[in-house]
Amino acid sequence: MKSLQVYQETGVQHSRLLEEQREQDGGDGLGGPLRFPDPCIFWLHSNMEALDKRLDKRVDEMLSAGLIEELKDFHQRFNEKKIQENSQDYQHGIFQSIGFKEFHEYLTAGADLSQEEGEKLKVKGIEALKQVTRRYARKQNKWVRNRFLKRPGTCVPPVYGLDVSDVSHWEQTVLQPALDILDCLQKGERPSVEPMGIEGEAPRNKRSHHMCELCDKIIIGDLEWTVLNHVPDEAGEGLKPALSCAALRCVEWSGPPQDPHRAGVTLVFDDSQHSSDTDPVVVCYVMLLSVCVFCGVAVVMLLSVCVFLYTSFCLHSLSVLSAPLTTLEHSVALQL
């Protein structure tokens, strides 16, 4: 609806306007430059239990305000014909809106359906609507985290979290802290409340050079340098590299810079640097391959024995059948 409104008022496609904003000074891939200096974002978040109760209550209020009657009217005017023509698609347009497709079975039930069965379908649609609403709220929370906290752009303002789980203390927990933060920002002062930190890993330089004096090697990249930890030597001779620089060939990162064994770092080593250590997985594969070869040889030998026994049986049967025939031929020859 917003895109249609923009095109109606400006005559330019909404996507084109967004593209022009990204190309302006201060813009990035996520959007255009900020309109005002020193802005901030207030994120009103709540624990999921309190949020789910509010969402369920909101659905109940929508039902009391006439949601079912509105759905029936919309179904008769726009949706019933599509169903008869078998052209209904709840994945496009306004029909994919939350609160309509959840009542499909109830709206399309025949007139011969009993009142009890119709009430069951209605309750089923209500429960589905509540469930989808809760799921959508979780997607919104995820979007906020990804957009502003996990992968922020270059011009994302600080985000201040305000807990609205208990709205009975709105002024003390939400309104007054927000006013204090705004007052400090207007005065150029630092608020007493710290903004929410950026989640995930910090930006790293892939082209930075680090000199390892113990290994006498140059390590390229902050990530590789972080993984190359130095630990105390067991012999008491100071520090030794946890990983050999020459063995550090490939790193797959799935977490912030921490201990590689605890942060989800997968290291691929050069076999020449660790030839004395046998990989147990390789040993298992070799043993499994040996067992398969042994079983294959045993099967071949068993088949050979079976073929030999079958051939011997066939030859013996032929010799037994041919003996009476030879005797009969001899008797006929004597009579002649």
Side-chain angles (χ1 to χ4, degrees):
M1 296 298 292
K2 180 63 176 178
S3 298
L4 294 176
Q5 181 182 0
V6 170
Y7 183 78
Q8 184 179 7
E9 295 178 355
T10 63
V12 182
Q13 294 181 354
H14 192 194
S15 58
R16 179 56 186 169
L17 291 178
L18 294 177
E19 183 179 354
E20 293 177 355
Q21 292 177 1
R22 296 188 188 100
E23 296 175 353
Q24 297 177 4
D25 294 337
D28 55 17
L30 297 177
L34 300 176
R35 297 173 58 187
F36 306 99
D38 300 327
C40 68
I41 297 176
F42 291 114
W43 183 19
L44 307 184
H45 59 85
S46 171
N47 64 67
M48 299 312 301
E49 182 179 359
L51 181 59
D52 289 343
K53 292 181 179 179
R54 290 176 189 166
L55 295 175
D56 292 345
K57 182 180 179 181
R58 177 185 178 185
V59 173
D60 294 336
E61 292 175 352
M62 293 168 59
L63 294 170
S64 301
L67 175 63
I68 299 298
E69 290 72 17
E70 182 180 350
L71 290 175
K72 289 181 177 179
D73 179 69
F74 184 85
H75 173 71
Q76 294 175 357
R77 295 170 58 187
F78 304 102
N79 193 48
E80 193 171 16
K81 184 179 179 181
K82 286 181 172 292
I83 294 178
Q84 294 175 356
E85 297 175 352
N86 197 21
S87 61
Q88 175 54 274
D89 183 7
Y90 289 109
Q91 304 299 325
H92 297 86
I94 194 173
F95 295 98
Q96 64 180 333
S97 303
I98 294 177
F100 184 71
K101 57 183 177 294
E102 288 74 22
F103 291 90
H104 172 78
E105 295 184 14
Y106 173 73
L107 296 174
T108 57
D112 55 343
L113 191 68
S114 64
Q115 183 178 359
E116 182 180 358
E117 293 296 329
E119 189 66 23
K120 289 183 179 179
L121 293 179
K122 179 180 176 181
V123 172
K124 181 181 178 181
I126 294 174
E127 293 300 324
L129 175 58
K130 291 182 177 181
Q131 182 179 3
V132 173
T133 303
R134 292 193 294 266
R135 188 184 304 124
Y136 185 69
R138 284 163 172 77
K139 288 184 178 180
Q140 289 179 325
N141 286 335
K142 184 178 181 181
W143 184 90
V144 171
R145 292 185 180 277
N146 291 335
R147 177 63 175 84
F148 300 113
L149 298 179
K150 287 188 176 181
R151 298 188 298 269
T154 56
C155 58
V156 173
V159 180
Y160 294 91
L162 299 175
D163 191 353
V164 294
S165 300
D166 186 6
V167 293
S168 61
H169 301 85
W170 177 269
E171 293 187 359
Q172 295 85 353
T173 60
V174 181
L175 179 59
Q176 193 58 46
L179 293 177
D180 294 339
I181 293 173
L182 290 177
D183 184 60
C184 292
L185 294 178
Q186 289 179 352
K187 294 179 180 179
E189 301 175 355
R190 183 176 181 178
S192 58
V193 180
E194 293 293 332
M196 303 181 69
I198 302 298
E199 299 179 0
E201 55 183 306
R204 297 185 300 271
N205 188 353
K206 298 181 180 180
R207 301 181 180 275
S208 61
H209 290 64
H210 304 272
M211 180 64 188
C212 179
E213 299 180 355
L214 296 178
C215 302
D216 193 21
K217 299 286 184 179
I218 297 178
I219 307 301
I220 301 178
D222 294 341
L223 174 61
E224 288 73 11
W225 178 250
T226 303
V227 175
L228 188 68
N229 292 325
H230 289 76
V231 298
D233 192 355
E234 298 178 358
E237 300 178 356
L239 296 177
K240 67 176 183 179
L243 304 174
S244 172
C245 291
L248 187 60
R249 186 179 62 187
C250 178
V251 178
E252 297 179 1
W253 184 258
S254 60
Q258 296 175 358
D259 184 356
H261 300 287
R262 297 194 303 267
V265 178
T266 302
L267 302 176
V268 180
F269 300 100
D270 189 353
D271 296 336
S272 61
Q273 301 293 330
H274 297 271
S275 58
S276 60
D277 298 333
T278 303
D279 191 350
V281 178
V282 177
V283 175
C284 293
Y285 279 127
V286 173
M287 293 179 62
L288 181 60
L289 181 61
S290 302
V291 172
C292 293
V293 172
F294 176 80
C295 293
V297 173
V299 171
V300 172
M301 293 179 63
L302 181 61
L303 290 176
S304 301
V305 172
C306 293
V307 171
F308 175 77
L309 294 176
Y310 179 77
T311 304
S312 301
F313 175 79
C314 292
L315 293 176
H316 178 70
S317 300
L318 290 175
S319 61
V320 172
L321 293 175
S322 60
L325 181 62
T326 304
T327 304
L328 179 61
E329 291 177 352
H330 181 68
S331 302
V332 173
L334 291 177
Q335 294 178 1
L336 293 175

